[in-house]
Amino acid sequence: MSSLSATIQEIFNEPGCAKNANKSDAERKKGCTKQLQPGGAAGGCAFDGAKIALQPFTDVAHLVHGPIACEGNSWDNRGAASSGASIWRTGFTTDMNETDIVFGGEKRLYKAIKEIINKYNPPAIFVYQTCVPAMIGDDINAVCKAASQKLGKPVIPVNSPGFVGPKNLGNKLAGEALLEHVIGTQEPDYTTPYDINLIGEYNLSGELWQVKPLLDELGIRILSCISGDGKYREVASSHRARAAMMVCSKAMINVARKMEERYGIRFFEGSFYGIQDSSDSLRQIARLLVERGAPSELIEHTEVVIAREEARAWAAIEPYKPRFAGKRALLITGGVKSWSVVAALQEAGLELVGTSVKKSTKEDKERIKQLMGQDAHMIENMTPREIYTMLKNAKADIMLSGGKSQFVALKATMPWLDINQERCHAYMGYVGMVKLVEEIDRALFNPMWEQLRRPVPWDEVAKNRQKAIAQMDAQAAAVAADPETTRRAKKVCFCKEVDLGTIEDAIRSHGLTSVEAVRQHTNAFGGCCKRRIEDILAKMPASSPLAMLQAAE
Amino acid sequence: MAIVTTPKKACAVNPLKMSQPIGGAFAFMGLRGAMPLLHGSQGCTSFGLTLFVRHFKEAVPLQTTAMSEVATVLGGYENVEQAIFNIYNRAKPEIIGICSTGVTETNGDDVDGYIKLIREQHPQLAKFPLVFVSTPDFKDAFQDGWEKTVACMVDVLVEAPVGAERDPARVNVLPGCHLTPGDLYELRTILEDFGLKPSFLPDLAGSLDGHIPDEFTPTTIGGIGVDEVAGMGRSSWTIAIGAQMRRAAEAMQAKTGVPFRLFERLCGLIPNDEFIAFLSDISGRPVPAKYRRQRGQLADAMLDAHFHVGGRKLAIGAEPDLLFDLSSMLHEMGAQVTAAVTTTQSPVLERIGTNEVLIGDLEDLEELAWTRNCDLLITHSHGRQAAARLKIPFYRAGFPMFDRIGAGHQLSVGYRGTRDVIFNIANLVIADREENHQPTPDSWRTSRQPLKPSRRSFIASTEESIA
C-alpha cells in the first residue's frame, strides 16, 4: 500500500493528462492547481471531491471518519439518482469528539464499521479519511484492512483528507482507491462483446437514463458506471469491459488510463451534452467495441439510431431558433462543460458572449476555439462583481452556471439556469438537449423579468411630489424676497390682523382721509392701531378715487 | 421532567447535528459589511456555504484560510494574515469574523496571538474590527457556535458606556439562532409598536431576508453596524431570546450594566403574554389594540386546532432551544412529546415535557418514532427520508431547510407566529388523514398499527365535550 503523498505524486505524474505531461518535474510536483489563496478561494476540498466521485455508488455505505463538520454539514446534498438501492443517501460518520482527538479515533472507526454491517449489511463500506484524523495519525488503511478480514466484507479506505488539495484532486484520489482496492476483485456473471464502462458519469437527476435506452437499443451493456447509479459488484468486475467512455473531463482520467494499461480497455473522452456530441460519443463507443471484436454491423446500427435521434431532436429545437436569435448567453462552469455546452447552445441558435475556462484543460480550450472561433471570449478568472456588472449592463441575456453563483445573475434581475450538480433537470443526450433549450426559453421569456426591471413607481411619485413642494417653496421665497410685498404685509391692526397693503388700498380707492372712514372700509378696529392709521393717512398723498380709477385703467 | 441521555453508538447515522464553526459564521452574517472567515481547509467553508445557500437561496459571504497540508503542519499564521489582507483589500468589509475549525484547533493555532501580531505589523489594521471565536468541529454543535460568537461580539465590540446616560427607549435584542429573519422582523414590529428602539445583535433580518441590493457586494448586505453594536451599552434593557443567549446577555450586563430579561421561548400563548406584559412595563405604554386582537386570534386558533393536534404523538429532532420552543407549545396543545432528539447539552432540555431527551442523530429519532408509534415528525429537511419511511406527516422546522422555499420567512414568534405554526401543523395532520387514513369497510381489521387506546380515548373525550 502506497502512502498518501506517493499516491498524490503519482496522480500529478499522470501521463494521460497532456497539461501535466508538458510541465517540468519541479512544476509537476506542485500539482494541478495553483496554490489556494487564503481569503480568496472558493470550492471544495479533496474530501469533498472524493465523496462526490464515489457517493453515487448506491448500494455502498459511505462512512466519513472525522468530526461532525465533514458529514453533518454536507450529507444529502447531491441529486444523483438510483434505480434501486438507497443506502448511499444515508449519512454515516464517526462524529469524532475531543476524547477521540486525544486518544485516537481508530477504535471508534472500527466499531462504526461493525455497527453499519450489523445494522445495514451493505455489500461494501467506503471509509473516507478527513483532515483531523489524518493529523492525529489514524491509519484508516490498517483499520479497513482489519475490518475487512474480521467482518468478511470489503471495507475500502478512501484516503482524501481535505487539506491535501482541491476537489479535483479528490476525484482522482477516489479513483485511486477504486483502482487499488475494488476494480478487478470480482468477476461478472457473464460478459458480452458489447460491454462498456462509463467513467466519471454521476447520473445527476437521472441523466444517464436519457442515454441508456439508446445503448440498450444497440445492445450495448453498461457493465459499470463509475459511479452514477453504480453498484459495488459492477465496479468490482468492471475490468472485463471491452471499451470505456470517460464522461466528465479529466476528473477520473487516472481510472480510465490505468484500466487501459492493466486490462487493455481502450477509452475515449466524450460527452452526451449537445446533439453532435451525443452522436460522436455513440459512434466512438461503437467503433471501439468493433475494434475489440464486436460484429461490425454495430456501426451501421449506430448510424441508423443517430440519424433517427438527430432528426427528432432538430425538429424539436427548430421552433426555438427564431426566438433565440440575438440572445446572448454567458457560461460560467468548468471542465468539459465549458465546450460541450457551448456546442449545445450554438446548436440552439444562441450567441455565446463568454465561457469560463478556469477548470478546463488545454484540449478543452482548443475545442472552445474550434467552436467559437479565434476571438472566443474565454474567461480565466472573473470576479462575481465583474459578472454582476456584465449582466446588469445587459451584456448577456442569460447566465448558465452552478448553484453557488446563481445570485450574481438573479440579483441583477437576469435569467439564470443551473447546469451543475444541484440542478433538477436532466440535460443529457438528445432528449436532454431539447429539455435544455426548453428551459432556456422558459427562463428568457418569463414575463416576470419585465415587471422586475421596472423602476418602482412610488419613487417617481415621491420625486414629483418633492419637485412640486420645492417649486411652491421657491415661489414663496421669491414673494418674500420682494421688498414692496414685505412692506405691505406688515400688520397694522393686530386685533383684526389687517395689514398695511389693505389699508393703503382702501385709502387710495375710496380717497379716505380719517381713521373712522378707514374703519368703515376695512376690518381695522381703530383701537390701539388708531395712531398707526393716522400715520399712514398723513404719509399718503391726497388723491381722489377718480384719479385712482383712471390710473388703474 | 426529562432525563438527558447520550447513545453509545460509534457511528452517527443521518446526522441531525451540524458543526460549531458554521454556527459561529452564521452569527457574523447578521453584522453589516461583514465577512465571516473559517480558519481551516477549503471544505470546511464550502460545505457550510452550500448549506446556507440552499437554505436561504441567497448569496452568502463566507471565506476560508485555505489551509494546506504544509500550513497545517507549520501553523496557520501566514494563512490567517493573507486571508485577512485579501479580504480587507478586495471585499472592503466593515468587520471580519474568524472562527476556528477542527483542523486548526487540533494543531493548536493561537489565532488571538496571530491577530495581535498582525495588528502590530500592519498599522492600517490596528483599529480594524477583527473578532475571533474558538469553535472546534469536534465539540458541541451549531447552536453553541452561535452562542459563543454572539457573546464574543459583545465582549469585543460593545463599548462600556461613559457616564450614566441611557436612552430609556432603546433596547438590545439578542436573538437565538433558531429565529428566522421573518421572526426578527416580527419582533422589531412588536417592539416598535411599543415605542421602543431595538438593536438586534446579530440582525439576520437585515442581511438574509432576500432583498435585492442596488450594488453588488461581496460582504453581507445589511445587518447591524459595528458602530451601533458599540453603542448598545446605552440601552435601558437587553432582551435575550432562547436559553443559548444567556451567556451573551450576561456578558452585556457585566460590561455595560444593562439589565437583561431572558425569554426562553416565544412560541405559545403564555410566553407571549409574558413578553407583551414585559414590553408594556418597560415602555410604560398600554398594549396596542392590535395585540389584543392577535391574542384573540391565537386563542381561537388553539381552539380550532386542538382537535387535530391534541393526542398526537410527536417525534421531534432539533437543536435544544428550538426543540424546547416547539415541543413545549405542542405539549400545551395536547400533543405528547413521545420522541425527542437533540444535538448538544442545554439547561432547557430537562424541562421538556417528556420522559427522555436523547442527544443523538436522525437514525435514533426514526427508530424511536417507529417503536413508539409516533404520528407527527418535526425536524429539519434532512428528516424527509425518515418521514417517507415512517409514512407520517412531516413538519419542517429549523436549519437547514433546503427542499422548500421561504425558509427565511417562516414565522413562529409572537401571537401571530404561534397562530401560523399551529395552523400549518394542524393542516398537515388533516391532509394526512384525508390522504392516508380514509376508513374502508375492513380498515379496522387490516390496519398495521391499531389506534392506541390513549389516542382513541382522547379523541372520544374531545368529541364528547363538543357534542
Side-chain angles (χ1 to χ4, degrees), chain A residues 222-234:
Chain A
I222 301 173
L223 184 63
S224 169
C225 179
I226 301 172
S227 55
D229 194 18
K231 306 267 188 312
Y232 184 74
R233 197 178 145 63
E234 288 169 7

Side-chain angles (χ1 to χ4, degrees), chain A residues 2-12 172-173 176-177 180:
Chain A
S2 63
S3 73
L4 176 57
S5 58
T7 311
I8 291 173
Q9 276 315 311
E10 208 183 311
I11 290 172
F12 288 161
K172 294 188 169 64
L173 288 172
E176 288 297 316
E180 191 170 349

Side-chain angles (χ1 to χ4, degrees), chain B residues 93-123:
Chain B
E94 292 176 46
I95 179 167
I96 299 175
I98 307 162
C99 293
S100 62
T101 62
V103 187
T104 53
E105 286 287 338
T106 305
N107 78 346
D109 273 2
D110 172 20
V111 181
D112 273 322
Y114 293 171
I115 291 178
K116 223 183 226 169
L117 207 61
I118 291 168
R119 285 195 198 280
E120 276 170 20
Q121 299 197 335
H122 308 283

Side-chain angles (χ1 to χ4, degrees), chain B residues 28-301:
Chain B
F28 284 119
M29 286 170 204
L31 299 180
R32 188 187 65 212
M35 179 62 86
L37 171 65
L38 294 189
H39 182 34
S41 52
Q42 280 207 96
C44 306
T45 293
S46 104
F47 288 141
L49 189 63
T50 311
L51 202 60
F52 287 118
V53 168
R54 292 176 82 206
H55 178 86
F56 285 106
K57 316 275 187 279
E58 286 302 315
V60 168
L62 192 57
Q63 261 304 342
T64 173
T65 56
M67 292 290 283
S68 65
E69 199 172 7
V70 178
T72 305
V73 175
L74 301 179
Y77 172 75
E78 281 174 15
N79 287 56
V80 173
E81 185 188 32
Q82 269 186 44
I84 289 174
F85 248 81
N86 282 331
I87 296 169
Y88 181 78
N89 290 329
R90 270 193 225 151
K92 310 215 165 14
E94 292 176 46
I95 179 167
I96 299 175
I98 307 162
C99 293
S100 62
T101 62
V103 187
T104 53
E105 286 287 338
T106 305
N107 78 346
D109 273 2
D110 172 20
V111 181
D112 273 322
Y114 293 171
I115 291 178
K116 223 183 226 169
L117 207 61
I118 291 168
R119 285 195 198 280
E120 276 170 20
Q121 299 197 335
H122 308 283
Q124 71 268 45
L125 293 175
K127 288 270 159 62
F128 182 76
L130 293 167
V131 180
F132 167 70
V133 196
S134 162
T135 48
D137 291 304
F138 45 75
K139 247 180 95 182
D140 301 334
F142 190 83
Q143 183 185 300
D144 302 288
W146 173 282
E147 174 182 335
K148 283 179 201 167
T149 303
V150 181
C152 199
M153 285 177 193
V154 171
D155 269 338
V156 179
L157 300 175
V158 176
E159 284 166 11
V162 194
E165 217 183 309
R166 285 198 202 288
D167 182 348
R170 253 193 96 171
V171 286
N172 302 328
V173 184
L174 304 175
C177 63
H178 57 305
L179 301 190
T180 64
D183 286 332
L184 300 191
Y185 270 120
E186 182 76 3
L187 287 173
R188 183 178 285 282
T189 310
I190 295 173
L191 289 163
E192 287 176 351
D193 285 345
F194 280 92
L196 298 166
K197 290 181 278 177
S199 298
F200 286 79
L201 180 70
D203 185 8
L204 289 174
S207 58
L208 283 172
D209 69 333
H211 60 284
I212 298 180
D214 294 330
E215 289 286 308
F216 182 84
T217 145
T219 63
T220 52
I221 39 169
I224 186 169
V226 177
D227 45 345
E228 192 180 339
V229 179
M232 285 175 92
R234 285 193 295 277
S235 296
S236 62
W237 275 96
T238 296
I239 297 170
I241 299 153
Q244 59 185 292
M245 302 316 286
R246 178 178 290 279
R247 191 201 276 222
E250 283 173 352
M252 183 76 82
Q253 188 173 32
K255 190 152 192 193
T256 64
V258 177
F260 73 90
R261 168 90 185 250
L262 179 74
F263 292 88
E264 279 178 342
R265 61 193 186 97
L266 280 184
C267 185
L269 182 69
I270 303 301
N272 279 298
D273 280 350
E274 285 171 8
F275 181 59
I276 297 289
F278 174 74
L279 294 184
S280 179
D281 183 28
I282 62 167
S283 66
R285 291 196 186 191
V287 176
K290 179 176 161 186
Y291 295 104
R292 293 175 196 279
R293 194 157 189 93
Q294 285 188 6
R295 189 183 190 279
Q297 290 173 355
L298 170 58
D300 192 54

